[in-house]
Amino acid sequence: MRPLKFLLKKEFKQIFRNKALLPMIFVMPLLQLLVMPLAADYEVKNINISIVDNDQSSYSKELTSKILASGYFQLSGYTHSFKESFKLIESDQADLILEIPHNFEKNLSRNGFEKLFIAVNAINGTKAGLGGSYLNSIISDFNQSISIKASKNTPDLEFKSIDIASLNWYNPYMNYKIFMVPALLAIIVTMIGVYMCGLNIVKEKEIGTIEQINVSPIKKHHYILGKLIPFWIIGIVVFTIGFFGISWLVYGIVPLGNLFLLYAYLGLFLVALLGFGLLISTYSETQQQAMSVSFFFMMIFILMSGLFTSIDAMPDWAQKIAYINPVTYFIEVIRMVVLKGSGLVNITKHIFIMIGFAILFNTWAIINYRKTT
Amino acid sequence: MQDLIVNNVSKSFNKGKVKALVDVSFSVEKGELFGIIGPDGAGKTTLFRILTTLLLADEGMATVNGSDVIIDYKAIRNNVGYMPGKFSLYQDLTVEENLVFFASIFNTTVEENYKLIEDIYVQLEPFKNRRAGKLSGGMKQKLALCCALIHRPAVLFLDEPTTGVDAVSRKEFWEMLKRLKKEGITILVSTPYMDEANLCERIALIQKGEILSIDTPNNITEQYPDKLLAVKSDNMSLLLKDLRKNENVKSAFSFGEYHHISFVDGFKNDPMQSDLFGANNHTNISMKPIAATVEDCFIHLMSKHEVNGN
């Protein structure tokens, strides 16, 4: 164990002496955690709507004011023809057109139904999808309110409908930040695991110091542990600062589950990820190579981990990739434990899979890391 | 006792396309200062990497300090000091920290072997809190030597220790090696500088992975077969061209201030009286007979080898 102690001492000295690396490790992730959840917000507000009111009746005015009162929409045009409104879409001033037909009120009262026309600018898919569905729900709401009014006027006509009330569990107000912040923490820890450790070893290769170490009695596993342990500790420290300092204090996310369980899983996850960084370093000769390869995997880790988009919504092949991505499991676990209060039983599967990843990456890396080339 | 035995070692890279070492054999006595002399790309570093167990040879075997480089590589790593050609200490650690670190990974302390490095380390002492990366070239070499010596190795491998170091530091460095030799450490040193060959006890001349000759520097220069003349004039480049055109001149090479020339066999005339220089009028011609240097021998052996090879 004596050589390991010297290696660790040396490693920490170097890390704390590196004026570029230290802020990268501690300040950048926390800054990201502070800024990103505010910017990367799914809720779409300020959708510009242009209404073509061909009816100019009390019903059409009521519908218009109902739409504008929802808070999601901004009226960018109130025109008399579809053509005029379409110009607004072309000039990017409107995202949506709602056309209210002539005799809207009359037909609705007489026939009991009428058709509305909605045109959506779908260049921004999220905005289009959400805008369309917001508008649909407002219209159906409106529809219901006038049906009820109508039924009041004719009491013998009984109004039947199924009322659906939904309740959002674990995140009652569908607060986007509660969903995002823990997952972003997972990504930050991933970055430390993949980049820092891998680059550190490649740096020794590049400078040539690894030659000096190799011509010494230092054992392979001591050297590797000397590299892994510092970044394992740094990963846990950064997570702790992010978890208590930002997630809890700033965003008010109080973990429901067992913290010990969460930290145990974090520790396991870091072992797997550091193994992955080590693996990249064994295949790279220069820091540039290691950086490019790490970046490639980092992109997959972020985009295919269920961080932004739900895995269930992915096509089959993409789901398969997501489930061979270790980050997916950590994001799932952190969301389950923090938001749902899941216990050991609920994440047993995740634990075993992560142990598998840890063994796979580390064994592969150690086999590939040879003292003699 | 022989501290270093190399038997028929060959190594090639790129699937045999680049032959770095071809059938290299030599041995070094205990406590000997042995030089591997050859130009860049001759295979010196490959040889060092094989002997320090960083690289496996394709063929042949080698023992260092009685241990086989493949079977007993662990024993070798405890007993040798290696100073790579490229400065490879931790630039972000201080002089003292580097030394302590390398002592500790060899399971020893600086105090234990301080006597061995004392002469060198006193020069570094004023800078002991300076980061290694901020040292001058000569100082870096001294620190690297200290770090390679701190565990009192039986065999010391120095790969081009004087490349890129100024003339004064180079001289100092060789003085240090002589003192280390007295401590009984076997030293294998490589250099592309032919003038340093005379400072070794024995040398091996190496070119394109093949050893041309192994002997003491004196024996090598004595074996030079031809008479040598040093020639100079005002227009040196034209002189070299004219000399090479002359059929009586066997070889003509530029050596700093002078050109060294040798003559074909059977040319018995007095060179001063012969028309060696062609039609061009050279002014201020001076000529003197000289003894062959290691470099002359190297060029001679190299061209002879190439003729044989073809």
Side-chain angles (χ1 to χ4, degrees):
Chain A
M1 279 296 112
R2 218 173 85 97
L4 185 59
K5 202 182 94 193
F6 292 117
L7 284 169
L8 286 176
K9 224 160 107 184
K10 180 214 92 180
E11 213 59 57
F12 274 114
K13 248 182 213 162
Q14 286 184 299
I15 291 168
F16 284 104
R17 232 167 245 187
N18 193 331
K19 295 231 160 54
L21 193 67
L22 214 56
M24 272 286 286
I25 295 177
F26 290 102
V27 183
M28 292 273 283
L30 302 178
L31 220 61
Q32 281 172 354
L33 205 53
L34 270 176
V35 176
M36 282 213 336
L38 297 174
D41 194 328
Y42 268 151
E43 261 181 51
V44 179
K45 283 174 193 150
N46 306 328
I47 302 165
N48 294 313
I49 189 167
S50 174
I51 294 173
V52 187
D53 192 350
N54 292 323
D55 196 36
Q56 301 285 354
S57 61
S58 65
Y59 267 20
S60 75
K61 295 222 165 89
E62 199 181 318
L63 179 59
T64 306
S65 65
K66 203 172 167 75
I67 289 167
L68 298 180
S70 70
Y72 293 112
F73 296 98
Q74 260 184 345
L75 191 66
S76 67
Y78 192 76
T79 62
H80 297 286
S81 73
F82 183 75
K83 225 174 170 180
E84 266 175 84
S85 282
F86 194 72
K87 269 192 191 132
L88 290 175
I89 284 208
E90 281 182 323
S91 61
D92 212 22
Q93 283 171 291
D95 304 305
L96 267 174
I97 300 174
L98 171 69
E99 189 172 8
I100 301 168
H102 195 58
N103 291 336
F104 173 64
E105 185 174 347
K106 212 164 148 192
N107 289 342
L108 200 57
S109 323
R110 191 193 298 154
N111 305 338
F113 70 90
E114 179 55 296
K115 283 175 179 165
L116 286 169
F117 176 67
I118 300 174
V120 189
N121 175 5
I123 286 181
N124 183 339
T126 324
K127 208 170 181 180
L130 284 171
S133 65
Y134 287 159
L135 195 56
N136 266 321
S137 73
I138 292 170
I139 291 167
S140 69
D141 215 30
F142 172 75
N143 194 15
Q144 220 158 58
S145 70
I146 53 171
S147 314
I148 292 165
K149 261 189 224 161
S151 65
K152 270 181 195 152
N153 296 342
T154 48
D156 46 310
L157 198 83
E158 209 175 306
F159 181 74
K160 284 178 192 155
S161 77
I162 299 168
D163 191 24
I164 302 164
S166 62
L167 187 59
N168 302 311
W169 275 95
Y170 310 121
N171 187 359
Y173 303 107
M174 295 269 274
N175 187 340
Y176 181 74
K177 288 170 196 97
I178 289 179
F179 173 72
M180 276 314 274
V181 171
L184 277 174
L185 253 174
I187 293 292
I188 285 160
V189 172
T190 309
M191 278 165 86
I192 289 171
V194 175
Y195 281 121
M196 300 301 168
C197 172
L199 282 181
N200 191 290
I201 293 172
V202 181
K203 188 179 155 201
E204 293 225 13
K205 268 192 192 176
E206 218 172 49
I207 298 178
T209 42
I210 204 162
E211 298 267 272
Q212 294 274 13
I213 298 286
N214 284 347
V215 191
S216 78
I218 289 276
K219 292 200 173 60
K220 218 189 261 191
H221 64 270
H222 279 159
Y223 181 73
I224 289 178
L225 280 177
K227 288 286 174 198
L228 295 186
I229 292 172
F231 292 102
W232 190 83
I233 294 172
I234 286 171
I236 293 204
V237 170
V238 170
F239 181 86
T240 307
I241 299 172
F243 191 73
F244 291 99
I246 295 186
S247 172
W248 199 327
L249 282 180
V250 178
Y251 293 106
I253 301 171
V254 183
L256 295 177
N258 187 337
L259 282 182
F260 178 76
L261 186 67
L262 185 63
Y263 269 85
Y265 200 81
L266 169 69
L268 183 61
F269 173 72
L270 273 169
V271 171
L273 256 286
L274 288 168
F276 185 75
L278 188 69
L279 182 62
I280 291 177
S281 77
T282 61
Y283 280 103
S284 319
E285 287 305 318
T286 63
Q287 292 189 70
Q288 198 181 20
Q289 283 172 12
M291 198 74 191
S292 318
V293 176
S294 309
F295 187 75
F296 171 75
F297 282 104
M298 207 60 218
M299 287 301 279
I300 296 177
F301 284 169
I302 292 175
L303 294 176
M304 308 207 83
S305 60
L307 171 67
F308 294 114
T309 44
S310 161
I311 293 171
D312 302 322
M314 292 177 185
D316 249 7
W317 58 269
Q319 284 193 22
K320 282 191 183 100
I321 297 176
Y323 283 115
I324 53 168
N325 173 1
V327 183
T328 305
Y329 297 95
F330 187 48
I331 288 184
E332 269 184 28
V333 166
I334 194 171
R335 279 178 179 156
M336 282 163 80
V337 174
V338 173
L339 304 184
K340 229 165 125 178
S342 300
L344 185 62
V345 192
N346 309 91
I347 63 165
T348 317
K349 184 190 93 184
H350 296 77
I351 291 174
F352 279 113
I353 288 171
M354 198 53 75
I355 290 174
F357 276 123
I359 292 171
L360 172 76
F361 290 143
N362 285 291
T363 324
W364 188 354
I366 288 167
I367 288 170
N368 205 44
Y369 172 85
R370 295 239 165 88
K371 273 195 170 187
T372 41
T373 40
Chain B
M1 194 194 135
Q2 286 166 333
D3 230 354
L4 199 78
I5 304 163
V6 181
N7 267 335
N8 308 98
V9 165
S10 294
K11 175 80 192 175
S12 59
F13 294 108
N14 291 351
K15 291 172 188 157
K17 276 184 203 149
V18 181
K19 290 197 166 70
L21 291 175
V22 185
D23 206 17
V24 169
S25 303
F26 66 93
S27 59
V28 179
E29 294 294 321
K30 192 159 184 54
E32 198 176 9
L33 177 54
F34 192 92
I36 307 277
I37 319 285
D40 291 342
K44 301 188 296 288
T45 301
T46 307
L47 178 64
F48 274 63
R49 287 172 58 86
I50 288 172
L51 294 177
T52 50
T53 74
L54 289 170
L55 199 66
L56 293 175
D58 297 339
E59 284 165 51
M61 57 159 289
T63 54
V64 176
N65 194 227
S67 313
D68 187 281
V69 287
I70 298 164
I71 304 162
D72 290 329
Y73 71 93
K74 279 184 181 156
I76 293 177
R77 286 175 184 177
N78 272 310
N79 288 322
V80 303
Y82 174 45
M83 183 175 151
K86 199 175 129 200
F87 180 69
S88 42
L89 299 179
Y90 292 99
Q91 313 238 6
D92 41 4
L93 295 184
T94 66
V95 169
E96 200 178 18
E97 284 166 347
N98 264 301
L99 197 60
V100 170
F101 175 71
F102 281 100
S104 58
I105 62 170
F106 281 97
N107 261 315
T108 178
T109 58
V110 177
E111 293 74 35
E112 210 169 306
N113 294 315
Y114 186 69
K115 269 197 75 179
L116 188 62
I117 60 160
E118 193 174 6
D119 285 345
I120 315 164
Y121 193 67
V122 285
Q123 302 173 51
L124 286 166
E125 197 112 50
F127 311 108
K128 69 177 185 186
N129 290 323
R130 191 181 284 190
R131 306 236 170 126
K134 298 242 157 67
L135 289 175
S136 68
M139 284 293 175
K140 276 183 184 166
Q141 293 303 84
K142 279 172 197 155
L143 176 60
L145 184 61
C146 283
C147 290
L149 280 171
I150 195 62
H151 57 293
R152 191 176 272 278
V155 187
L156 185 60
F157 292 94
L158 305 169
D159 191 6
E160 300 200 12
T162 53
T163 300
V165 176
D166 70 74
V168 179
S169 299
R170 270 168 65 184
K171 204 164 162 257
E172 268 181 23
F173 200 87
W174 281 95
E175 296 292 322
M176 287 187 273
L177 294 191
K178 276 183 192 160
R179 281 199 294 272
L180 289 175
K181 204 190 101 59
K182 282 185 194 136
E183 297 275 344
I185 295 174
T186 308
I187 303 173
L188 190 69
V189 58
S190 78
T191 176
Y193 302 122
M194 302 285 167
D195 53 324
E196 289 181 344
N198 294 316
L199 302 166
C200 303
E201 285 174 287
R202 281 197 306 145
I203 53 173
L205 299 179
I206 184 170
Q207 159 75 2
K208 288 182 185 159
E210 291 179 70
I211 289 193
L212 304 174
S213 175
I214 304 170
D215 215 326
T216 62
N218 267 338
N219 285 346
I220 284 185
T221 49
E222 269 169 25
Q223 279 162 17
Y224 192 77
D226 307 311
K227 277 210 171 77
L228 266 183
L229 272 186
V231 190
K232 79 169 178 179
S233 84
D234 285 344
N235 190 339
M236 291 297 276
S237 61
L238 189 63
L239 181 66
L240 190 65
K241 265 189 207 155
D242 287 343
L243 285 169
R244 282 184 176 163
K245 269 188 214 152
N246 193 294
E247 54 186 9
N248 287 322
V249 175
K250 189 174 165 189
S251 71
F253 289 99
S254 175
F255 278 74
E257 215 185 340
Y258 286 90
H259 296 318
H260 287 189
I261 57 172
S262 62
F263 298 100
V264 291
D265 302 339
F267 180 74
K268 299 277 189 277
N269 301 352
D270 181 358
M272 289 302 279
Q273 307 303 324
S274 317
D275 180 28
L276 284 173
F277 314 113
N280 293 312
N281 284 322
H282 289 277
T283 47
N284 285 327
I285 296 175
S286 106
M287 230 190 260
K288 60 177 182 188
I290 47 151
T293 64
V294 173
E295 193 166 358
D296 291 307
C297 300
F298 189 88
I299 292 171
H300 168 72
L301 288 167
M302 207 170 81
S303 48
K304 200 171 97 185
H305 191 80
E306 265 162 26
V307 170
N308 289 349
N310 297 336

